Amino acid sequence: SFEFERNNDYFKNPIPFYDGYKVFIIKDAARRLASMKTLQVDAWFVMGGTDLQDMTQVQKETDGQMRAVASGPGTVRSFWMHLKPPLDDPRVRRAIYLAIDREEIRSISYKGEGVTGNFFPPGFTQTEEELLELPGFRVDKTEDLVEAKQLLTEAGFPDGFPLTFNVDQSKHSRTEATLITQQLKKGLNIEVTMQVSDRAKMYQGLRDGSSNLSIVGSGLYFLEPQTVLAQFYAKDTLRNPENWEDPRMNELMQLEARELNQEVRRGHYIEMDEILRQGEGHWVPLFWLGRAGAINYHIQNFRPPYHPHTIWKWDQIWWDPDAKNFGPDAPPIR
């Protein structure tokens, strides 16, 4: 655990309005939920590793004393294809991109939470309805699997091939990797072996490309497509370990970085999206979602940030002993 104490010399007197708080590090997810349900803690602020449905259940079981909190869709669930044989062939990468059933993964991993999304935050290119009609994202996978099998045959792999999957220990990563493994086996006869390790070792494997596939959730610091480009498509970055690139993408990235007109920039993003939706890149988005947490209803004026990595505002909150309990069925604080 670690503690914060009020700064009595803070220049915005009389804030902060509280004397301090103590943070407990609880690694086990079930224990975290239990600590909230039994009111041993007043908040779960990190908002990672839990579903909004979990937090809504906490709210119900505490009769509203713990209030569910939800952030914006600042997290993308996705996986990487490392550019070594057989994934050095863009036809093979496109086949995998097409074969993945994103809706099945979302319905199981996050109980249907989140939104189907592509390479940029939701709303910047297609609507969710438009995206669900496109190859790779459509719910009916029949046409996608026909094309995927044809691509593998053209690439010389009509009977599939083995792959290894670098997976971190989190519940959602393991669930998603298991579903991807099952889908690739069923749809393309690709035999995937999962290699589960702690987060640090998983990131090392992502950096080194020691496996064929890697999976972990990623977050955006603010709602802007450029944060995707900086993380996943810039050269010599953790999430672009083999420096995948496309000549036109490079040109568009330079153009959008200098462009001030938002409509013109959006046009660049739409064109980049069209390139990436060919499925020949190294990064495969699955879906986008927010984070979930819970706070004691006595805590007032708390507003969740867009993503847990962004700036948290603590100086304007306070504890109100006379606050109203909005009950177990109140909507989440957003």
Side-chain angles (χ1 to χ4, degrees), residues 12 36 72 102 115 126 140 168 176 199 265 292 299 306:
K12 291 184 179 180
M36 288 184 279
R102 292 158 174 80
V115 294
Q126 304 90 9
D140 186 345
D168 81 285
E176 290 154 16
R199 183 68 60 89
R265 292 182 79 218
I299 295 176
Y306 177 72

Side-chain angles (χ1 to χ4, degrees), residues 5-11 13 15-16 18-19:
E5 293 182 355
R6 185 183 191 276
N7 178 6
N8 293 322
D9 297 320
Y10 189 53
F11 74 100
N13 187 58
I15 59 177
Y18 53 95
D19 295 324

Side-chain angles (χ1 to χ4, degrees), residues 119-138:
F119 299 89
F120 298 118
F124 275 90
T125 51
Q126 304 90 9
T127 65
E128 185 176 15
E129 291 73 21
E130 292 169 338
L131 192 62
L132 289 172
E133 298 295 324
L134 298 174
F137 292 90
R138 49 194 170 193

Side-chain angles (χ1 to χ4, degrees), residues 49-303:
T50 49
D51 308 319
L52 181 55
Q53 292 181 46
D54 291 333
M55 297 297 98
T56 302
Q57 187 62 31
V58 168
Q59 180 171 304
K60 290 182 181 299
E61 292 188 26
T62 61
D63 291 323
Q65 292 191 70
M66 295 294 288
R67 182 85 181 271
V69 175
S71 71
T75 297
V76 57
R77 302 301 303 185
S78 59
F79 69 95
W80 286 258
M81 297 185 283
H82 294 283
L83 308 183
K84 60 183 182 180
L87 300 181
D88 58 334
D89 190 325
R91 293 171 296 186
V92 175
R93 298 197 298 274
R94 176 169 170 79
I96 291 175
Y97 167 89
L98 289 170
I100 299 301
D101 188 337
R102 292 158 174 80
E103 290 303 289
E104 179 187 50
I105 295 171
R106 181 163 70 101
S107 69
I108 296 174
S109 180
Y110 271 90
K111 305 170 188 174
E113 290 180 18
V115 294
T116 299
N118 60 357
F119 299 89
F120 298 118
F124 275 90
T125 51
Q126 304 90 9
T127 65
E128 185 176 15
E129 291 73 21
E130 292 169 338
L131 192 62
L132 289 172
E133 298 295 324
L134 298 174
F137 292 90
R138 49 194 170 193
V139 177
D140 186 345
K141 301 300 295 180
T142 305
E143 292 183 47
D144 289 341
L145 287 172
V146 169
E147 182 180 350
K149 290 175 181 177
Q150 181 180 345
L151 286 166
L152 288 189
T153 299
E154 293 173 1
F157 301 103
D159 301 318
F161 46 81
L163 293 176
T164 56
F165 208 155
N166 173 35
V167 183
D168 81 285
Q169 291 176 328
S170 71
K171 176 184 72 174
H172 294 115
S173 290
R174 286 185 285 110
T175 300
E176 290 154 16
T178 299
L179 292 168
I180 291 168
T181 296
Q182 293 170 352
Q183 291 174 5
L184 293 180
K185 174 62 177 176
K186 180 180 179 181
L188 302 178
N189 199 35
I190 295 175
E191 198 76 47
V192 181
T193 301
M194 289 173 51
Q195 300 171 335
V196 181
S197 62
D198 61 60
R199 183 68 60 89
K201 187 173 181 180
M202 187 286 307
Y203 272 124
Q204 186 65 48
L206 173 60
R207 183 178 296 107
D208 297 341
S210 53
S211 298
N212 300 108
L213 307 171
S214 293
I215 189 166
V216 71
S218 300
L220 304 186
Y221 298 116
F222 49 91
L223 185 60
E224 164 59 53
Q226 195 175 76
T227 61
V228 173
L229 300 177
Q231 285 194 69
F232 301 102
Y233 296 105
K235 295 286 190 67
D236 301 317
T237 59
L238 171 65
R239 290 174 172 80
N240 189 6
E242 288 88 30
N243 284 333
W244 179 88
E245 63 178 335
D246 174 90
R248 181 55 180 162
M249 274 284 295
N250 290 343
E251 293 176 6
L252 290 166
M253 288 169 66
Q254 291 296 320
L255 289 172
E256 73 84 27
R258 297 192 298 266
E259 181 59 59
L260 298 180
N261 185 297
Q262 292 302 310
E263 282 304 308
V264 176
R265 292 182 79 218
R266 185 171 183 270
H268 295 329
Y269 296 138
I270 290 173
E271 186 176 348
M272 282 188 263
D273 175 73
E274 292 171 352
I275 294 170
L276 296 171
R277 277 194 291 103
Q278 298 307 306
E280 298 177 0
H282 68 297
W283 180 58
V284 183
L286 300 172
F287 55 92
W288 292 75
L289 72 160
R291 296 297 186 99
I295 63 170
N296 191 303
Y297 79 93
H298 291 288
I299 295 176
Q300 300 293 294
N301 205 38
F302 175 77
R303 295 292 180 270

Side-chain angles (χ1 to χ4, degrees), residues 306-327:
Y306 177 72
H307 186 270
H309 292 170
T310 57
I311 297 174
W312 295 79
K313 301 291 187 180
W314 300 119
D315 56 353
Q316 300 284 349
I317 68 170
W318 65 88
W319 179 276
D320 182 356
D322 300 317
K324 178 182 178 181
N325 182 347
F326 290 92

